[in-house]
Amino acid sequence: PTELGLLTTLQTISLRENPLKGTIPPELFQLAQLEVLVLEACELGGSIPTELGNAASLEVLNLGGNDLTSTIPSEIGSLLSLESLTLVQNSLAGPIPSEIGNLQNLVALFISDNSMEGATLPKEFYRLENLETLYGNSCSLEGTLSTE
């Protein structure tokens, strides 16, 4: 519910496996102290709100197992504290934004089971020096694994 945006001291929201339906309330990304947001398997649809770029304290973002569409917004590159990003099992399409290379604290990236047909890993991806885990199974990624 959008009213969660009124709880300004929230640091963690985990609502995994609840039939919430609807879209992700953009108000969640106005919570200045929010470090963990888990909305996995909540039957959410629509696109990932561009307001997510406002969540400067976010360290863990898990939106896996929903029916999110559109693309990964370029505003993802503003989440400089992000350590783990999970977007598996959605209907995300299009390219991986080059701004993902800004996420210098990112340790784990899970994007498996999406419809990114023709997408490649942008050259900026190779700046993720702290990345330890990458799951990109069944995404229809194309190209070569090269920094060129």
Side-chain angles (χ1 to χ4, degrees), residues 18-145:
N18 283 289
L20 300 176
K21 298 183 176 40
T23 59
I24 299 170
E27 294 83 0
L28 293 180
F29 301 109
Q30 303 302 323
L31 298 170
Q33 297 181 43
L34 188 64
E35 296 175 354
V36 176
L37 178 59
V38 178
L39 297 175
E40 180 181 11
C42 289
E43 300 179 25
L44 297 169
S47 60
I48 299 171
T50 58
E51 289 85 353
L52 80 100
N54 298 326
S57 298
L58 204 58
E59 296 174 4
V60 175
L61 178 59
N62 183 341
L63 303 176
N66 286 293
D67 192 27
L68 299 173
T69 57
S70 191
T71 60
I72 300 171
S74 61
E75 289 81 1
I76 196 94
S78 298
L79 303 179
L80 302 181
S81 298
L82 199 64
E83 297 174 8
S84 177
L85 175 60
T86 303
L87 300 172
V88 300
Q89 297 175 336
N90 278 291
S91 297
L92 296 171
I96 297 169
S98 60
E99 290 83 358
I100 203 158
N102 297 341
L103 305 179
Q104 294 302 300
N105 291 314
L106 195 66
V107 175
L109 175 61
F110 305 96
I111 56 172
S112 298
D113 299 311
N114 278 290
S115 305
M116 299 176 177
E117 190 166 329
T120 60
L121 294 175
K123 66 179 185 220
E124 293 82 1
F125 175 83
Y126 298 99
R127 294 193 314 225
L128 300 175
E129 295 177 359
N130 292 310
L131 192 67
E132 297 175 3
T133 304
L134 169 64
Y135 282 15
N137 309 327
S138 302
C139 280
S140 301
L141 294 173
E142 293 181 6
T144 59
L145 293 176

